[in-house]
Amino acid sequence: MAVSRATFDEVMLPNYAPQAVIPVKGQGSYVWDQAGREYIDFSGGIAVNCLGHCHPELVQTIKEQSEKLWHVSNIWTNEPALRLASKLVKSTFADKVFFCNSGAEANEAALKLARRYAVDQFGEEKDQIIAFKQSFHGRTLFTVTAGGQPAYSDGFGPKPGGISHAVYNDLASVEALISDKTCAVIVEPMLGEGGVLPADPDFIKGVRALCDKHNALLIFDEVQTGFGRTGHLYAYQGLGVTPDILSTAKSLGAGFPIGAIITTDEIGQHLKFGTHGTTYGGNPLACAVAETAFDIINTSQVLEGIKQREAAFRQQLELINQKYNVFSEIRGKGLLLGAVVNEAHEGRAREFVAAAMEQGLMCLVAGANVVRFAPSLIVEQQDIVEGFNRFDKAVARVVAGD
Ligand SMILES: *Cc1c(COP(=O)(O)O)cnc(C)c1O
């Protein structure tokens, strides 16, 4: 059966507006569309494909596991889940893991756990959650309300209550909202969707101190920043601030859907038997893939390599900017980088991304003013150079106005 972009409009709900071309194949940092046209992928499936496309070890794992066991439900546990959880615990602050299938589900679990912990420890009154404007935590009604972008949460009826929004990187705005009724503060260590904006270290340390003062849990949403993206296994490890609960998804499965929260024994025990669950969470297929991804990513070779690649990306972006003067700032960390368009190109990030696609380069926006790069964490040096050759041509065309 032949399908095309027109089929999308016929049979899919219109909540997405996908590009004209349909990718059919990927290998490493390359993708090919239906017409056989090749693209270099600096989008990484929105910070998901941390090992590029069809990494041979992941392909091998999925083949092997698919012939053994796919799913048994949480009435039974399974070996890949237990191994992956053990490795996550060993490499982080956490003692305990809960698996689910996406970032939104992970944050949903994090927020529910924080509420339950507060109710158990301090009583029903302690139910207030502080989140941040311009942040993103997923699309369930609870997480999208936490996200603080009314454009995403309006129009779906009554919103879950008890959530207020401070201003990112503005500690005084948190201080003004926090009280002994606050059960949790949820924050991204670097805004991803909200513009690739790193947290100011003093801000994040200040938030930790305020949480401690008011017995509120600090939740780090590391769905986008986690699993090597910033050059650390998790971004908190580079910030010197440890959260109480951390959510992870996206790169965790390297392209296979999986999410998780990790936390301490003390907090985790409040998610008692029967309080929460999900049918697919921690299924052997997803966990086997994530375990292989973990074994590759959590090595000094790969993590150090991310820092070198960041330097290469920054250098290439600076060179392009010297030529065309289109960006006011290159920001971000590791391989989650944002080129902020300057005043002369205000609101036009999308045009750069569209022009890049025409030149055979996939990248992303993060809001109206930021061109975002979230490539494979093992992208080859020659692919970086070739990708930026293409981006150079794309920028030239945007600047020339055609
Ligand atoms: C993508 C993202 C989410 C949502 O993840 P889904 O898997 O789409 O539900 C949550 N938080 C952050 C920071 C994200 O970048």
Side-chain angles (χ1 to χ4, degrees):
M1 185 186 170
V3 289
S4 69
R5 176 61 181 78
T7 316
F8 183 94
D9 294 332
E10 287 165 28
V11 300
M12 303 284 265
L13 292 173
N15 59 311
Y16 302 117
Q19 306 241 336
V21 300
I22 299 183
V24 294
K25 197 173 103 148
Q27 187 63 60
S29 287
Y30 287 82
V31 167
W32 291 268
D33 70 13
Q34 284 180 314
R37 194 164 170 233
E38 171 216 285
Y39 304 85
I40 291 182
D41 186 0
F42 285 173
S43 72
I46 318 188
V48 166
N49 301 321
C50 57
L51 297 171
H53 296 274
C54 299
H55 187 284
E57 288 182 52
L58 296 178
V59 171
Q60 186 60 29
T61 296
I62 215 166
K63 279 186 180 161
E64 283 172 12
Q65 188 61 39
S66 74
E67 291 174 355
K68 277 193 206 154
L69 190 69
W70 294 27
H71 178 82
V72 288
S73 89
N74 287 301
I75 295 170
W76 294 270
T77 188
N78 66 79
E79 291 180 352
L82 296 173
R83 284 197 304 262
L84 176 61
S86 301
K87 289 178 182 184
L88 286 169
V89 162
K90 194 159 173 253
S91 311
T92 63
F93 73 94
D95 310 306
K96 289 283 171 15
V97 180
F98 165 78
F99 287 121
C100 52
N101 311 287
S102 69
E105 254 191 286
N107 287 323
E108 184 86 18
L111 293 170
K112 281 181 71 180
L113 172 57
R115 279 258 177 92
R116 179 56 68 104
Y117 175 79
V119 167
D120 288 351
Q121 298 281 92
F122 304 99
E124 295 279 345
E125 291 281 276
K126 194 174 175 70
D127 62 359
Q128 297 293 305
I129 292 163
I130 297 175
F132 291 88
K133 290 177 182 150
Q134 299 307 316
S135 59
F136 186 79
H137 301 300
R139 298 285 202 149
T140 66
L141 201 49
F142 198 1
T143 58
V144 82
T145 303
Q149 300 190 58
Y152 293 163
S153 56
D154 285 351
F156 296 101
K159 295 178 190 181
I163 304 170
S164 56
H165 294 94
V167 176
Y168 199 74
N169 276 342
D170 177 351
L171 191 60
S173 75
V174 183
E175 214 162 356
L177 291 175
I178 203 164
S179 76
D180 289 344
K181 287 187 171 180
T182 306
C183 68
V185 176
I186 182 167
V187 62
E188 295 167 78
M190 163 157 65
L191 291 184
E193 300 305 306
V196 192
L197 182 66
D200 179 342
D202 288 339
F203 163 75
I204 213 82
K205 287 189 183 110
V207 172
R208 174 73 273 181
L210 284 173
C211 285
D212 292 342
K213 186 173 159 202
H214 294 281
N215 289 318
L217 298 183
L218 179 59
I219 303 170
F220 271 9
D221 177 348
E222 292 230 30
V223 170
Q224 191 152 161
T225 55
F227 222 60
R229 189 54 56 190
T230 67
H232 300 273
L233 182 62
Y234 286 99
Y236 84 86
Q237 292 163 327
L239 277 170
V241 171
T242 304
D244 299 299
I245 306 174
L246 182 152
S247 58
T248 175
K250 290 206 165 96
S251 287
L252 176 60
F256 200 97
I258 181 171
I261 57 168
I262 63 174
T263 188
T264 61
D265 269 327
E266 201 246 320
I267 296 162
Q269 62 180 327
H270 292 267
L271 210 64
K272 287 193 197 70
F273 176 69
T275 52
H276 191 61
T278 168
T279 296
Y280 279 122
N283 70 80
L285 206 47
C287 291
V289 175
E291 186 194 2
T292 298
F294 181 96
D295 289 342
I296 298 171
I297 299 280
N298 195 36
T299 57
S300 54
Q301 192 204 343
V302 168
L303 294 175
E304 285 306 313
I306 292 164
K307 287 168 190 151
Q308 287 155 20
R309 286 167 175 81
E310 173 186 359
F313 263 73
R314 284 182 178 275
Q315 188 196 13
Q316 294 280 348
L317 282 164
E318 298 292 354
L319 285 173
I320 288 173
N321 204 28
Q322 276 163 26
K323 232 161 126 181
Y324 303 104
N325 186 27
V326 285
F327 302 124
S328 60
E329 187 190 354
I330 311 299
R331 67 191 185 198
K333 190 147 196 282
L335 288 173
L336 183 54
L337 294 169
V340 187
V341 297
N342 62 21
E343 256 175 32
H345 299 86
E346 179 103 43
R348 294 175 68 194
R350 199 163 288 282
E351 289 175 46
F352 288 90
V353 171
M357 194 66 190
E358 275 173 29
Q359 298 300 323
L361 177 72
M362 299 158 90
C363 53
L364 304 161
V365 296
N369 291 314
V370 179
V371 181
R372 173 173 38 157
F373 300 91
S376 160
L377 302 180
I378 54 168
V379 56
E380 303 276 353
Q381 176 63 24
Q382 75 253 28
D383 298 340
I384 299 176
V385 172
E386 176 54 21
F388 280 107
N389 276 338
R390 297 178 187 188
F391 194 61
D392 184 311
K393 291 186 191 127
V395 172
R397 293 198 71 158
V398 173
V399 169
D402 55 37

